[in-house]
Amino acid sequence: MNSIPFSILDLVPVAQGSTVNQALQNARDLAQHAEKWGYNRYWLAEHHNMTGVASAATSVVIGYIAGGTKTIRVGSGGIMLPNHSPLVIAEQFGTLASLYPGRVDLGVGRAPGSDQVTARALRRNLTGPDTFPQDVVELRQYFQAAQPGQAVQAMPGAGLNVPIWILGSSLFGAQLAAMLGLPFAFASHFAPDALMQALHVYRTQFVPSETLAKPYVMLGINVVAADTDEEARRLFTSVQQQFINLRRGTPGQLPPPVDRPDLLEYAIQQSGANQMLRYAVVGSPETVHRGLTNFIEQTQVDELMTTAQIFDHSARLRSFEITAQVRNALIGQSTLTGELSA
């Protein structure tokens, strides 16, 4: 199997009984370990008005993570562009790229990352048409070299060519990324239904650009790994409870796992959480190896963006460590049994 980079998407979860400060420290600690384990990127997601997510001020958190690491790429997965003016984002990411040259990615999405009431509090002018494509084009221009007489420049930002990714959970993002010749990241970790169709649209409609000569796809996938299948399934109940609460309209802090996963089964079925979490690989190293092999073969993905909402920080670290070991086995750097026993 060809070498496929593995990356991490972090919502900086605030566990029940913990604090935002601790969640941010945990994120930085995880990023430092991820760098050591060979992960390619560490992305933070913008969500608002959610007590269980500490990454609302995404650009600030990216700076905190980048400042605590040395080589791993750090970026947004993503910035929800309808909440911001393109110039402000260009200045923020131009600043980040100036501080951490060659390490900053800018993934942008079309959703507000919140409910409509919160979205209006953020931007206050959501009554007009969807201007996301125009905003992306404007954003790209700010990162190009300033032209003589250009009235508005991103400073810093102009000439830095910060890499822009289109994020999506539907065909809209796939079409836009293809049209603009940009890399595409699909949120299959929570919105799996349109995955295969979006891949087809992006790859068949892709127009080469100065940025990218051929399509490049990164896919989100939930990976919860532990030393045994039983323990991984127990850890995964935190994610399942979180999705159940989200579907009920009662999001909150990340709940602890339950020792009897079967007790959640009825609530999971009623909420549709299983459907939303269809692309989740949960289990021992061997189970994760099989699951990721199947997903990679099915999608022919160029890069995996793994995510794991795990209540206990040490268990979360262990999950990502196992996932990195599985990656090494997949690309033939080691045997899975040999690395895990080392």
Side-chain angles (χ1 to χ4, degrees):
M1 182 175 290
N2 294 331
S3 174
I4 293 178
F6 279 29
S7 295
I8 292 176
L9 173 65
D10 189 5
L11 274 65
V12 193
V14 183
Q16 286 183 12
S18 188
T19 65
V20 169
N21 179 276
Q22 188 61 57
L24 291 166
Q25 290 188 47
N26 288 346
R28 195 175 196 181
D29 184 56
L30 174 57
Q32 290 167 343
H33 281 85
E35 185 172 75
K36 179 179 66 175
W37 293 328
Y39 282 91
N40 190 37
R41 312 175 200 274
Y42 196 97
W43 280 9
L44 290 309
E46 178 186 348
H47 292 278
H48 298 278
N49 196 27
M50 299 183 71
T51 58
V53 177
S55 54
T58 315
S59 300
V60 177
V61 183
I62 289 171
Y64 176 66
I65 299 298
T69 52
K70 296 179 181 179
T71 58
I72 193 170
R73 297 191 66 87
V74 185
S76 59
I79 289 291
M80 299 298 102
L81 203 51
N83 298 335
H84 314 277
S85 75
L87 177 60
V88 167
I89 296 304
E91 291 171 339
Q92 290 177 2
F93 277 77
T95 301
L96 288 167
S98 298
L99 289 168
Y100 310 104
R103 293 180 56 204
V104 174
D105 298 321
L106 173 51
V108 294
R110 178 174 171 238
S114 60
D115 57 80
Q116 287 300 308
V117 173
T118 306
R120 287 188 176 87
L122 285 162
R123 189 74 180 263
R124 296 178 184 270
N125 60 344
L126 298 179
T127 55
D130 186 348
T131 60
F132 181 67
Q134 298 94 312
D135 287 348
V136 172
V137 170
E138 181 182 346
L139 182 60
R140 291 180 79 184
Q141 292 173 342
Y142 285 131
F143 289 128
Q144 297 170 1
Q147 300 301 306
Q150 183 174 328
V152 179
Q153 301 180 26
M155 185 61 198
L160 294 182
N161 295 312
V162 175
I164 295 176
W165 291 67
I166 300 297
L167 277 59
S169 57
S170 68
L171 301 186
F172 183 95
Q175 292 169 332
L176 181 62
M179 181 179 69
L180 297 178
L182 292 174
F184 179 51
F186 188 85
S188 38
H189 59 293
F190 72 86
D193 290 347
L195 170 59
M196 300 310 294
Q197 192 176 0
L199 288 176
H200 177 75
V201 166
Y202 175 65
R203 287 166 172 161
T204 57
Q205 298 183 12
F206 182 84
V207 179
S209 67
E210 293 182 2
T211 301
L212 202 60
K214 61 181 182 179
Y216 191 93
V217 177
M218 180 159 56
L219 299 180
I221 184 168
N222 298 281
V223 183
V224 175
D227 293 320
T228 66
D229 286 341
E230 182 180 27
E231 174 60 13
R233 286 194 294 268
R234 188 185 76 87
L235 296 174
F236 189 57
T237 60
S238 290
V239 182
Q240 292 172 316
Q241 291 176 83
Q242 191 173 50
F243 271 82
I244 291 169
N245 293 337
L246 187 63
R247 292 299 291 268
R248 289 173 173 171
T250 58
Q253 296 181 331
L254 184 67
V258 298
D259 293 329
R260 289 277 307 277
D262 57 295
L263 297 178
L264 282 178
E265 193 58 35
Y266 179 75
I268 290 169
Q269 295 298 334
Q270 290 296 107
S271 68
N274 273 345
Q275 174 63 19
M276 293 178 70
L277 297 170
R278 188 194 318 166
Y279 292 117
V281 178
V282 181
S284 66
E286 293 76 17
T287 299
V288 170
H289 187 281
R290 288 193 301 271
L292 291 182
T293 298
N294 291 338
F295 185 74
I296 291 167
E297 290 177 349
Q298 178 187 3
T299 61
Q300 296 298 301
V301 64
D302 298 296
E303 185 168 344
L304 282 184
M305 178 62 78
T306 62
T307 184
Q309 298 280 88
I310 295 176
F311 181 80
D312 179 74
H313 181 58
S314 61
R316 193 169 189 233
L317 290 176
R318 179 62 178 150
S319 179
F320 280 111
E321 181 183 22
I322 291 172
T323 304
Q325 292 166 346
V326 168
R327 177 208 60 215
N328 293 342
L330 286 171
I331 63 178
Q333 291 185 0
S334 67
T335 61
L336 187 59
T337 304
E339 180 156 334
L340 288 172
S341 62

